């Protein structure tokens, strides 16, 4: 009987079936720290839907699990290998198949990079809003599989709001088309959104139809400097209470301000307790709206509020926010020299009214477990990323990090929140998902998984 | 062994278990014409989730199907009785449990009427956008079960965009909570949106958490009068091509204009081929946007374009649009006197670029089958309602009506459209759903139905 690799080569050709040990090791995991990753048998790079079908059929015949992968920029371990698996990378399916400016839709293969789609639709005066931190490298397939968020979500929503149709290869090898190309449609169950965010456990996405918006105008940007994260959190609730809807509302705490300023000096107020960055799409009302945002910030205790003087300064401020992740990685490396500094990147969302309480609580947890935790995130959505700095070489530090992580999850749920606002469940949060959705929720998840993937072929051990 | 009614009375009390034959007959069907309806055994009106659980357990024990009902304003027969069924009406669960203005959410029981929720949140300066034609009488539970649309959808989207969490009683009697109260959340499969639009086939919705928006400003309203529906359809594509996003874009054809003017005289241009009604939320840019809409309409052949002079005139124009349904019912009654005039209300959505072709095609179909068809609908979404006027007493007329209905469905699909933009599948469009989603789509629908309702208790025969 021919082995798995022979069979894969027979259907894909030699060049799409990769077994180089270094390459396999390089594909073992996404960007989540602290998640287990097995050693795959092979990485395959199918070029079209028929080849994806062939991969799934071949893997099923051999009883070998399949783990779909995009750019592996995920932060929950959802793309991590399991031992002996076929890693199905969609990066070779990277064609933008269609941009239809009048119907405001685009049809793309899963391997198209988010930034490439954004650039292409911009030529038509259109915008694909979802902008995860990884947008310059992550793929639309991965964005859809994880229901990726970003900074624009506070006004424009997450990935699922923009996915109107999918082509998906099921574990059976069947090709399912979901959704529509029309602005509206209610024909049958919403299978499209069942697959969005299912992290490769229900099918392999081979084509995505997204809706687009007219390009946003340039935006005005405001900075408010607060003595404490609590005050910044209260300002966010106040902004919402005033009926304002900024197009961006981000928070950076003192740890992040210091880390970013050290990473790329730009004169940030590193003495501040927290900084809020707000923006409003231009248009005649934006200035008035931002003035009201400024008023709320001042009333909440901001000791400095200023507007970006021009587009260049506004872009620099956004760039500072986008540097949070690499800057914190450097901060961790410098905190624990010798290559052992690491980050446990958390992701928790609470009702906006509970944001101040969440931020207070995270500070308490950092004290209690005697471990550095910086907080950054999408304040306008109540979606925060507490980043726990650990010494990977020190089991005691790792253990304190894990305990702090659990304490943050516990706190988030107790405040009426969710264990993941945008990074997903993967391996990192399976237990917390079960806790959040309860036994009936878990049973229904399992029933759906079994209905769609009865042989357990796809991404076993993730989510559930 | 006690019978079904005794058992239901034991758990609900006498007053919530209704068996009056007139009342049963009155609950047999929703507002869809031409759909079969059986004779139910009983109507029950549970008052809380525990009572819904008790109804489902009791019905399951007796092997009797359960059909959930709201206000029965649906247009696809999804709420129609099947013989011997328990009709589970949620109208007694009509409490608005919470309005949280800062987090911009409301939590309601399923029997709350759409207009009641709209009025309550307006007190907080907020808005619940979905506005189906039935909004003054239909319930949020029914709106969610059918994923109801409306006139605001062109800018604000359909019901599913506003549902962030549900409580659902499953066929097993388990109580499932889905979703969240936070602005963002990606914890697990999107079960919330799986239930939205599932027409009572997967569970009984007992609580709904919706997101709200700041109240929209008053809107400016524009009327464009076209010599033909084709020209109006072309204008819609042109408006989209210009990157404009009106908050309302509705079409009325000559048949509807005549019917509405006869029903309530208000000086509509009954000589026009079609009328487009557009609106833009006020704010400094609205006037400029509407001026561009007017330009496109003129360029597409409109022979008259005028703005409403004031809010009262704008309201009157919207009211005219809202009268389309009763006016066409009267038109049908007068076309075929003796109480036999009826309407087959269709619902089809196509890409905006195909709207003119759809309107042309419907006119050809009316000629070909020699039957009056008026068209009205949400032009900005490409979502049209061709209303076929039939003589219920004349089998030949009914047959021509059915053939025309099928021809319209066929045309919609051939134009890249969907068999239902907002009314749903119910009984009316089961065959067309199967045609649209194909055998793999049907198999996956069945697999999910079986995973959630293995005994086939809930709304059998609907959707699939």
């Amino acid at each position: 009987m021919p082995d798995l690799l022979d069979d894969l080569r027979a259907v894909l050709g030699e060049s799409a079936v990769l077994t180089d040990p270094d390459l396999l090791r390089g594909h073992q995991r996404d960007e989540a720290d602290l998640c287990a990753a097995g050693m795959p048998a092979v990485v395959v790079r199918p070029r079209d839907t028929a080849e994806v079908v062939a991969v799934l059929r071949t893997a099923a015949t051999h009883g070998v699990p399949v783990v779909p992968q995009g750019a592996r920029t995920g932060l929950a371990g959802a793309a991590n290998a399991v031992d002996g698996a076929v890693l199905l990378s969609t990066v070779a399916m990277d064609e933008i198949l269609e941009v239809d400016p009048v119907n405001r839709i685009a049809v793309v293969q899963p391997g198209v990079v988010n930034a490439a789609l954004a650039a292409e639709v911009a030529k038509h005066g259109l915008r694909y809003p979802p902008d995860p931190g990884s947008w310059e490298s992550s793929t639309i397939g991965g964005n859809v599989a994880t229901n990726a968020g970003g900074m624009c979500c506070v006004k424009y929503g997450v990935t699922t709001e923009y996915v109107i149709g999918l082509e998906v290869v099921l574990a059976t090898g069947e090709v399912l088309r979901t959704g529509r190309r029309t602005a509206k449609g209610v024909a049958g169950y919403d299978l499209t959104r069942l697959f969005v965010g299912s992290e490769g456990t229900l099918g392999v996405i081979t084509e995505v139809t997204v809706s687009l918006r007219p390009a946003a105008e340039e935006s005005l940007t405001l900075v408010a400097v607060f003595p404490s994260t609590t005050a910044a959190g209260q300002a966010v609730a106040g902004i919402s209470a005033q009926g304002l809807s900024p197009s961006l509302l981000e928070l950076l705490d003192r740890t992040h301000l210091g880390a970013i300023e050290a990473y790329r000096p730009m004169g940030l107020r590193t003495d501040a307790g927290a900084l809020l960055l707000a923006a409003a799409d231009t248009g005649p009302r934006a200035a008035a709206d931002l003035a009201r945002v400024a008023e709320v910030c001042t009333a909440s205790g901001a000791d400095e509020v200023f507007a970006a003087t021009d587009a260049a300064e506004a872009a620099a401020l956004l760039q500072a926010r986008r540097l949070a992740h690499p800057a914190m990685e450097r901060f961790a490396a410098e905190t624990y020299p010798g290559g052992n500094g690491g980050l446990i990147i958390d992701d928790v969302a609470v009702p906006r009214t509970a944001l101040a309480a969440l931020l207070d609580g995270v500070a308490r947890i950092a004290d209690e477990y005697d471990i550095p935790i910086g907080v950054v995130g999408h304040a306008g959505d109540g979606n925060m990323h507490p980043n726990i700095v650990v010494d990977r070489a020190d089991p005691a530090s790792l253990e304190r990090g894990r305990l702090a992580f659990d304490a943050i999850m516990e706190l988030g749920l107790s405040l009426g929140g969710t264990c993941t606002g945008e990074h997903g469940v993967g391996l990192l949060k399976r237990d917390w998902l079960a806790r959040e959705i309860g036994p009936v929720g878990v049973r229904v998840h399992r029933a759906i998984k079994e209905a769609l993937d009865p042989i357990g072929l796809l991404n076993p051990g993730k989510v559930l």
Side-chain angles (χ1 to χ4, degrees), chain A:
Chain A
M1 179 179 155
D3 80 354
L4 170 70
L5 299 180
D6 291 339
D7 281 355
L8 288 170
R9 288 189 188 105
V11 293
L12 299 181
E14 293 279 338
S15 68
V17 179
L18 309 170
T19 55
D20 174 77
D22 284 345
L23 185 131
L24 293 187
R25 273 190 294 275
H27 281 70
Q28 275 186 282
R29 51 175 71 250
D30 63 21
E31 293 184 12
D33 225 325
L34 296 187
C35 287
M39 182 51 65
V42 59
V43 172
V44 295
R45 292 196 181 134
R47 282 144 301 203
D48 59 29
T49 302
E51 290 192 350
V52 173
V53 170
V55 170
L56 294 200
R57 294 224 156 111
T58 304
T61 302
H62 288 272
V64 170
V66 175
V67 178
Q69 292 190 331
R72 289 173 288 107
T73 55
L75 291 164
N80 281 14
V82 295
D83 279 331
V86 173
L87 298 184
L88 191 164
S89 168
T90 59
V91 295
M93 296 174 69
D94 62 351
E95 211 175 321
I96 296 173
L97 301 170
E98 183 185 352
V99 177
D100 177 342
V102 181
N103 291 308
R104 296 184 191 161
I105 61 173
V107 183
V108 304
Q109 290 189 314
V112 170
V113 169
N114 181 305
L117 175 61
E120 185 60 32
V121 305
K123 295 178 190 166
H124 300 272
L126 294 169
R127 180 179 180 207
Y128 173 68
D131 61 346
S134 59
W135 74 294
E136 288 177 304
S137 56
S138 64
T139 63
I140 297 297
N143 291 174
V144 171
T146 59
N147 194 9
M151 295 206 285
C152 76
C153 304
V154 64
K155 181 164 180 186
Y156 294 104
V158 298
T159 298
T160 195
E161 311 302 337
Y162 295 90
V163 182
I164 65 170
L166 293 172
E167 181 187 82
V168 181
V169 181
L170 302 175
T172 55
E174 294 166 296
V175 178
L176 172 71
R177 293 201 71 100
T178 75
R180 56 186 209 270
R181 291 171 60 92
T182 52
K184 270 162 96 177
V186 295
Y189 301 155
D190 190 349
L191 299 182
T192 303
R193 281 164 162 170
L194 182 61
F195 285 100
V196 176
S198 64
E199 301 185 354
T201 62
L202 300 180
V204 179
I205 294 163
T206 50
E207 192 185 288
V208 183
T209 303
V210 296
S211 64
L212 306 168
R213 298 178 66 100
E217 305 89 4
E218 291 295 298
S219 64
L220 299 179
T221 303
L222 190 85
V223 179
V225 183
F226 291 87
S228 69
T229 53
T230 312
Q234 286 163 346
V236 169
I239 290 164
S240 183
Q242 292 285 314
L244 296 163
S245 295
S247 58
L248 178 141
L249 190 53
E250 296 287 312
L251 180 146
L252 293 156
D253 75 348
R254 183 182 303 203
T255 305
H256 279 83
L257 291 170
I260 294 166
E261 187 65 21
Y263 187 78
R264 191 168 302 172
M266 53 177 75
L268 293 174
R269 278 273 302 269
T270 55
D271 63 319
L275 186 147
L276 276 185
L277 207 56
D281 296 337
T282 55
R285 211 175 49 204
D289 281 359
L290 273 192
R292 290 176 63 200
V293 169
E295 278 168 31
V296 175
C297 288
T298 302
S300 302
D303 50 31
E304 187 187 2
V305 182
F306 62 96
T309 49
D310 54 27
E313 191 184 6
L317 287 163
L318 284 185
Q319 186 57 20
R321 165 63 184 88
R322 289 220 178 257
L323 289 176
H325 183 55
M328 277 300 284
E329 288 197 321
R330 165 126 21 125
F331 175 77
E334 290 176 355
T335 304
Y336 301 110
N340 294 318
L343 289 180
I344 306 176
I345 299 176
D346 206 346
D347 168 47
V348 57
V350 294
R352 291 180 200 102
T353 43
L355 185 60
L358 176 71
L359 293 166
D360 279 353
V362 171
R364 271 201 315 277
I365 289 164
D367 282 347
E368 184 179 344
Y369 294 98
D370 187 25
I371 197 156
I373 307 178
V375 183
V376 63
H378 314 300
D381 289 321
N383 182 198
M384 287 289 112
H385 302 309
N387 291 314
I388 306 167
V389 184
V390 292
D391 179 357
R392 286 200 191 90
D394 175 6
S397 171
L398 279 175
E399 178 60 14
R400 291 202 306 278
R402 285 180 210 274
L403 291 171
F405 176 89
D406 284 344
I408 292 168
M409 290 286 89
E410 180 84 46
L411 173 65
L413 293 189
S414 76
L415 291 170
T418 173
C419 69
T420 171
E422 59 177 17
H423 290 172
V425 175
L427 292 169
L428 191 64
K429 296 196 171 165
R430 287 184 304 184
D431 295 344
W432 285 102
L433 175 69
R435 173 92 173 264
E436 180 172 334
I437 66 179
V440 178
V442 170
R443 192 192 72 69
V444 171
H445 272 71
R446 285 195 192 285
I448 288 172
K449 167 71 174 172
E450 206 163 304
L452 269 73
D453 179 12
I455 59 172
L457 182 72
L458 291 165
N459 216 4
K462 310 301 170 59
V463 183
L464 294 168

